Amino acid sequence: MPEPTVLADGYFQSYSVVGLLAVIGVLFVAVAFGAGRLLRPVVPTPEKLLTYECGVDPVGEGWAHTQVRYYVYAFLYVIFAIDSVFLFPWATVFAAPEYGATTLVEMFIFLGFLAVGLLYAWKKGVLEWT
């Protein structure tokens, strides 16, 4: 049986690699932002300081009506993104012989809930882009 200190050394060594990669990533981002700040030209003019949106000069109120259907599309995207995130681990667990039938039933229940939600959205006309 290996000594506990040997196991602890290997355990913390793997964390030190992750920590080193995190530090390198933070340094890379900091250097990139610092270089951008040092190298960019700074010539402020009144036109550059003006609020700009879609090539139209801002006139009138800043209040605009937002369509709710865009939020619904975002929620539907999140639902199907979560669905795909759960399907990949399910496929690997389903391959194991001792978990096959249980995971199959659980995933069909999960997909049933998603199908009911999609059917409800379709019946309400949410999926129509008009």
Side-chain angles (χ1 to χ4, degrees):
M1 181 168 188
E3 294 182 27
T5 57
V6 174
L7 290 175
D9 289 341
Y11 181 75
F12 289 120
Q13 183 181 5
S14 61
Y15 275 115
S16 65
V17 171
V18 171
L20 180 65
L21 283 175
V23 168
I24 289 172
V26 168
L27 285 174
F28 180 75
V29 171
V31 167
F33 276 117
R37 181 173 271 251
L38 291 174
L39 296 175
R40 72 175 180 225
V42 180
V43 184
T45 62
E47 289 83 18
K48 287 184 180 179
L49 298 176
L50 186 64
T51 303
Y52 177 80
E53 185 174 342
C54 300
V56 179
D57 291 332
V59 177
E61 295 182 22
W63 181 260
H65 181 69
T66 304
Q67 295 289 334
V68 176
R69 68 175 173 234
Y70 299 124
Y71 295 114
V72 174
Y73 288 120
F75 286 136
L76 287 173
Y77 170 76
V78 168
I79 287 170
F80 288 108
I82 290 172
D83 180 27
S84 65
V85 165
F86 279 121
L87 283 176
F88 288 116
W90 169 71
T92 58
V93 171
F94 185 63
E98 64 271 5
Y99 295 112
T102 306
T103 56
L104 182 65
V105 170
E106 289 173 354
M107 188 49 66
F108 275 119
I109 290 171
F110 176 70
L111 290 174
F113 280 121
L114 287 177
V116 167
L118 182 62
L119 183 65
Y120 176 77
W122 179 61
K123 286 286 189 185
K124 287 291 186 177
V126 170
L127 303 176
E128 298 293 326
W129 187 270
T130 55

